Amino acid sequence: MKTVVLDVRNPKEAMTGFSRAWHLDQAQETDHISFASPELLWKVLTAKRWELLKALCGAGPISIREAARRVSRDVKGVHGDVTALLEAGLLNRTESGAIEFPYEAIKVEFLLQAA
């Protein structure tokens, strides 16, 4: 199962993990997308965007209009969310212009510690 892990790590830790995976030179079943803070993670992954990702999970390539229909929202609002998710690396755009969520599962990891 192809999984994406959303985590909170400082840029140095994220680059160390990337470098380690690069040097292993083998396919990974899990991709990682790191955010510098929990606040940034939640800014990108809003409730409406989470709903959109759930609707796209396993759907294959679809149009933004179809994505909007599946979540019962207007196309303009979904288009803005799709743009943010594309920029974050959570969605892909196909050659035909469709959008696709290329994972079967999402895992969110972060640790909240006392200040």
Side-chain angles (χ1 to χ4, degrees):
M1 171 170 38
K2 185 73 171 176
T3 302
V4 61
V5 176
L6 307 179
D7 60 16
V8 176
R9 293 192 284 180
N10 68 46
K12 184 177 179 180
E13 290 174 345
M15 287 307 295
T16 299
F18 172 78
S19 179
R20 189 175 306 123
W22 182 271
H23 285 45
L24 287 176
D25 196 30
Q26 54 189 176
Q28 304 289 312
E29 285 198 25
T30 304
D31 288 344
H32 287 264
I33 298 176
S34 298
F35 295 85
S37 69
E39 293 80 14
L40 182 57
L41 173 92
W42 298 128
K43 183 177 180 181
V44 172
L45 198 61
T46 64
K48 295 217 182 249
R49 292 175 188 162
W50 185 257
E51 178 185 16
L52 183 58
L53 289 176
K54 288 193 305 186
L56 295 174
C57 194
I62 63 172
S63 68
I64 292 176
R65 183 172 302 283
E66 174 60 18
R69 187 193 66 73
R70 289 182 183 206
V71 293
S72 302
R73 292 181 48 209
D74 66 286
V75 175
K76 185 177 179 181
V78 169
H79 184 274
D81 287 341
V82 164
T83 299
L85 293 170
L86 285 165
E87 290 173 359
L90 283 161
L91 295 181
N92 293 334
R93 189 172 295 277
T94 66
E95 289 181 20
S96 66
I99 56 169
E100 179 178 36
F101 181 63
Y103 305 101
E104 298 168 357
I106 302 173
K107 182 177 182 179
V108 180
E109 293 181 350
F110 69 91
L111 179 64
L112 179 63
Q113 294 178 311

